[in-house]
Amino acid sequence: MIDFHCHLDLFPEPFAIAEKCRAHNLYVLSVTTTPSAWPRSRELSYGGDRIRVALGLHPQIAHERENELGLFDRFLPQTKYVGEVGLDGSPELAKHQQHQKRVFDHILKACGRAGGKIISVHSRRAATPVLDAIAAHPSAGPCILHWFSGSMSELKRAVDMDLWFSVGPAMLVSKKGRQLVAEMPRHRVLTETDSPFAQRGATPLMPWDVCEAEGEIAKIWQVSPEEASSILLSNFRELVAPVR
Ligand code: MN
């Protein structure tokens, strides 16, 4: 199983959770929210290649951490993975739109200059500007739209751009989420949890709860859980093969 977007470093005991992920035979992409978190977070990847760590600057704090772009550039050669990055169009962040855009553009440009990275992208209430930015930086590398919640026509545009999607249990709870997943090309779908942010009731999801997403995806695809699992694994291999 694969959790291609979670925040191991935001759990109270990240290294213990990482150990459990290995025990569950999970492949994990642990994204980060600030460049200054990178040196400590990257240690989660030590001890095997099942856990990979992405260098990020989350759009919800882009206005507070724009001054860390220098750090971002300095650490970028140390990883093939970038995230969590992107744009967030929530009304309370409207006044920070320009910061977000500058930060995201800077990051996409830096990824392109570095020969391309695998990028986990946040696009809440901002699917169109996110797609515009990605389209403007075609050499940034493969982008995975995490927890995509745009419109059907924005989804179609993303599919036409050959982007990837990571889908988690929280997204699959809603009818709209399931409808979006049904329209995603099967060979571009991965699983995620967005743990510990994403919750089931009042309890944060754990990375291994990604099995719930696999089960739901199998239902949407009308295939057996084993077949869904094998499609998801081959998608993951195709995405990461060029960087291994
Ligand atoms: Mn996240």
Side-chain angles (χ1 to χ4, degrees):
M1 289 190 301
I2 302 133
D3 184 352
F4 210 71
H5 181 114
C6 64
H7 299 260
L8 291 185
D9 62 349
L10 299 182
F11 281 96
E13 295 189 66
F15 291 87
I17 302 289
E19 227 18 79
K20 277 199 186 170
C21 290
R22 291 193 175 98
H24 278 86
N25 280 334
L26 279 179
Y27 288 103
V28 173
L29 182 67
S30 182
V31 297
T32 56
T33 50
T34 65
S36 52
W38 170 256
R40 180 71 174 143
S41 297
R42 80 181 291 215
E43 294 177 13
L44 291 163
S45 68
Y46 297 174
D49 76 342
R50 287 204 163 257
I51 297 181
R52 300 140 200 230
V53 184
L55 170 65
L57 206 170
H58 198 291
Q60 290 171 347
I61 53 171
H63 56 288
E64 293 165 0
R65 301 300 183 111
E66 195 172 355
N67 60 344
E68 290 192 25
L69 282 175
L71 276 184
F72 181 92
D73 292 344
R74 196 169 110 208
F75 296 141
L76 189 59
Q78 298 175 9
T79 182
K80 304 286 188 187
Y81 299 89
V82 165
E84 180 165 359
V85 298
L87 301 172
D88 189 308
S90 301
E92 65 274 20
L93 293 169
K95 56 181 179 295
H96 304 307
Q97 248 175 38
Q98 288 313 312
H99 290 275
Q100 287 189 21
K101 180 149 174 36
R102 270 202 307 274
V103 167
F104 191 39
D105 281 342
H106 176 107
I107 287 169
L108 291 171
K109 207 172 288 169
C111 291
R113 265 201 309 269
K117 301 287 178 180
I118 294 177
I119 311 173
S120 186
V121 181
H122 174 112
S123 59
R124 186 159 71 131
R125 296 189 181 216
T128 289
V130 160
L131 296 175
D132 290 343
I134 293 171
H137 298 91
S139 45
C143 290
I144 304 94
L145 299 176
H146 120 80
W147 197 336
F148 182 80
S149 57
S151 67
M152 221 29 114
S153 61
E154 288 168 324
L155 175 69
K156 191 176 175 314
R157 183 177 169 210
V159 171
D160 289 342
M161 290 167 66
D162 202 25
L163 303 183
W164 294 73
F165 304 91
S166 57
V167 172
M171 171 173 178
L172 288 158
V173 167
S174 77
K175 186 170 173 218
K176 187 198 168 194
R178 291 195 301 270
Q179 283 170 339
L180 287 167
V181 173
E183 296 303 319
M184 293 170 184
R186 288 183 192 188
H187 69 292
R188 287 293 174 261
V189 175
L190 300 166
T191 45
E192 65 160 54
T193 59
D194 204 14
S195 59
F197 283 135
Q199 307 202 325
R200 188 200 301 100
T203 320
L205 289 171
M206 303 302 285
W208 42 90
D209 292 327
V210 79
C211 63
E212 295 174 18
E214 273 201 16
E216 279 304 312
I217 290 169
K219 282 187 212 158
I220 291 170
W221 287 351
Q222 297 179 291
V223 299
S224 68
E226 295 72 25
E227 192 177 346
S229 188
S230 115
I231 294 170
L232 292 162
L233 188 61
S234 80
N235 293 348
F236 167 74
R237 295 223 157 102
E238 181 192 335
L239 177 65
V240 304
V243 305
R244 293 190 75 186

